[in-house]
Amino acid sequence: MKSQAALDIVSEKKPRSEEIDLAKGLLTISMVFTHVVQFLGHGDSLFQFYFCTLTNVGAFPGFYFFFGFAAWRAYLGKEKTPVTAVFWTAFKCYLAFVISGVCFLLLYSKQPFGGDLVWSVVLLQKIPGYSEFLITFAFLLVTAVACKRLIVKATNSYIPLLITSAVLISVSFFPRDAGQSFLPEYLWEIAHIWATGHGFVVLPFFGYFLAGAYFARHEPKIPEWVFGVSLALINIFIGLWVYGYHPSRFPVYPPWILWGIPVVYAYYWLGRFIAQRGPAPVKTYLNLVGQNVLLYLLISNVILFTITGNKIVDGVDWQHMYIPFLVIMATVLFLQKITVKPRA
C-alpha cells in the first residue's frame, strides 16, 4: 500500500494553465521591452524608467514562480519523475544561454571569434551579460528535481513554505567571496550562479519557485483585495525609489527579493483576469508568447546585440522606443508562424 505522502504528490495529467501562460506572456513582453529601453534608450522618460525598474524587480522572481508552477505539474507532482524530460528542458535553457552568451561576446562586445571564446561560455568560465539568467533556469530545474522530497515537504502547507523561503533568502547574506580561496575557477563561477554572487542566483530566489509549486499543488483561492494591496505596495516601492532608497540587486539582498512579491502577484492576477475576461485575440497572442518564453528572450537578445553592437540603431527617443520593440516582437512572431513541425 502506498504511503499518503506518495499519494499526495501523484497528480493527474492536467492541461496547461492558461492564466499562467498569459502571465508569462505579459512578463516576457515586459522583459523584452525593458531590454530594448536599456540597450537603445536615452533615459529620457520617467515612465519607461520606472516601468523597467519594476520589471527588473519582478521578472526574475516571476519566471521562477511560473517555472515552479509548471515544474510541479510536469515533473514534481508525479510519483515517478520523468528524468529524461527534466534534463531535456534543462539542456534547452543551457543551450539558449550558450547561444545568447556567445552572441553577446561576438556581436555586442566585439571579441574575436575563436574556440577559446566559445568554450569559455560552454564551460561557464564566462557568464556574459543579458544571458546569465538563462543558465540559472537550468540550475534551478536540476536542483528542484534533486531536492524533490524537500520541495514536497516545503509545499505541504504555507507554514513550511514561508519558513523555507526565509531560510533561502538568508543565503543572500553570505560573504560574496566565500569559498573563492579553495574552489577552482569554474566551480567558483557555478557557486556564484547557484548561491551568491553579483549576477542572478538560484537559492535566494528559490522561494518563488516553491510558491509556484505550492499554487500548482493546492490551487489556493486568493481574495480579490490582495491585488489592490499589491498595487499599493508597488506604489510604495516607487515612492521609496524616488526618495533615494535603492535596494541592491547585484549583489542581491533581501529587500530586492521581497519587493518582487507584489509585482509577481500583479502579473499572476492580470493573467487570471485576462483568462477570464480578456478578448480572444489578446489571449491567443499572449499564449503564443507565454508558451515560447525561451524563443522570445533568445531571439530578442540576438537582435539587440546585433543592432547595438554594430550601431545599426544608436539611441532612440522615448516617443519612438515602441518601434524597435514592435519590430522585434513581430519578427519573433513571424518566425513562429513560418516554423513547420515535422510530421510523424
Side-chain angles (χ1 to χ4, degrees):
M1 184 175 179
K2 295 180 180 179
S3 68
Q4 182 59 42
L7 288 171
D8 188 39
I9 67 169
V10 177
S11 59
E12 298 178 1
K13 186 175 181 180
K14 297 181 179 180
R16 295 183 68 99
S17 169
E18 185 180 34
E19 60 190 32
I20 293 296
D21 284 333
L22 294 173
K24 283 196 299 180
L26 289 169
L27 190 54
T28 302
I29 291 169
S30 299
M31 192 168 182
V32 173
F33 181 74
T34 295
H35 286 173
V36 170
V37 173
Q38 290 172 341
F39 273 95
L40 304 179
H42 290 308
D44 53 351
S45 169
L46 279 177
F47 170 78
Q48 289 179 1
F49 172 79
Y50 285 112
F51 178 87
C52 293
T53 300
L54 288 175
T55 299
N56 288 332
V57 169
F60 194 61
F63 282 124
Y64 264 41
F65 175 84
F66 301 135
F67 204 12
F69 190 102
W72 180 267
R73 285 196 166 186
Y75 314 123
L76 303 175
K78 297 179 179 180
E79 184 175 10
K80 185 176 181 181
T81 305
V83 177
T84 302
V86 168
F87 280 98
W88 172 237
T89 301
F91 178 74
K92 287 191 290 185
C93 296
Y94 165 75
L95 192 59
F97 157 76
V98 171
I99 295 170
S100 179
V102 170
C103 287
F104 180 89
L105 297 177
L106 290 176
L107 302 173
Y108 184 75
S109 297
K110 294 297 183 179
Q111 297 187 21
F113 177 76
D116 290 343
L117 179 144
V118 175
W119 282 111
S120 68
V121 178
V122 170
L123 298 177
L124 306 181
Q125 294 171 341
K126 288 185 178 178
I127 311 295
Y130 289 88
S131 308
E132 65 268 42
F133 64 93
L134 294 168
I135 190 62
T136 63
F137 294 117
F139 277 80
L140 171 66
L141 189 55
V142 173
T143 302
V145 172
C147 302
K148 178 179 175 178
R149 291 186 178 180
L150 294 176
I151 290 174
V152 171
K153 292 181 179 179
T155 57
N156 275 332
S157 69
Y158 70 91
I159 294 177
L161 171 66
L162 294 175
I163 294 173
T164 306
S165 298
V167 171
L168 291 168
I169 289 175
S170 70
V171 172
S172 61
F173 286 114
F174 288 4
R176 266 55 194 175
D177 57 351
Q180 188 174 11
S181 60
F182 61 86
L183 284 176
E185 183 178 353
Y186 72 95
L187 285 180
W188 171 239
E189 290 295 337
I190 293 173
H192 259 209
I193 298 169
W194 192 58
T196 64
H198 293 274
F200 295 100
V201 285
V202 175
L203 286 186
F205 288 94
F206 201 79
Y208 285 99
F209 182 91
L210 293 177
Y214 177 86
F215 269 65
R217 182 178 180 182
H218 299 286
E219 299 180 359
K221 303 299 181 183
I222 308 297
E224 291 298 318
W225 56 263
V226 175
F227 176 66
V229 172
S230 296
L231 292 182
L233 291 173
I234 289 170
N235 280 289
I236 291 173
F237 172 79
I238 293 174
L240 290 172
W241 194 281
V242 170
Y243 284 99
Y245 177 67
H246 303 158
S248 176
R249 182 188 185 195
F250 299 125
V252 68
Y253 281 102
W256 183 273
I257 299 171
L258 294 173
W259 275 117
I261 295 173
V263 181
V264 172
Y265 184 77
Y267 275 101
Y268 172 74
W269 186 92
L270 287 171
R272 189 174 61 184
F273 178 84
I274 295 171
Q276 295 171 351
R277 304 179 189 178
V282 172
K283 290 195 286 187
T284 299
Y285 178 69
L286 289 178
N287 267 308
L288 279 172
V289 179
Q291 294 180 28
N292 295 276
V293 172
L294 272 183
L295 178 67
Y296 276 84
L297 296 182
L298 177 58
I299 299 299
S300 64
N301 269 3
V302 173
I303 293 174
L304 286 169
F305 299 160
T306 302
I307 63 178
T308 53
N310 293 282
K311 297 189 183 300
I312 298 171
V313 179
D314 188 16
V316 179
D317 294 333
W318 72 267
Q319 300 97 324
H320 303 103
M321 192 63 64
Y322 306 98
I323 297 174
F325 165 70
L326 292 174
V327 169
I328 290 172
M329 298 302 291
T331 300
V332 184
L333 179 62
F334 176 70
L335 293 175
Q336 279 185 282
K337 292 297 184 180
I338 65 173
T339 302
V340 179
K341 293 183 179 180
R343 294 182 179 179

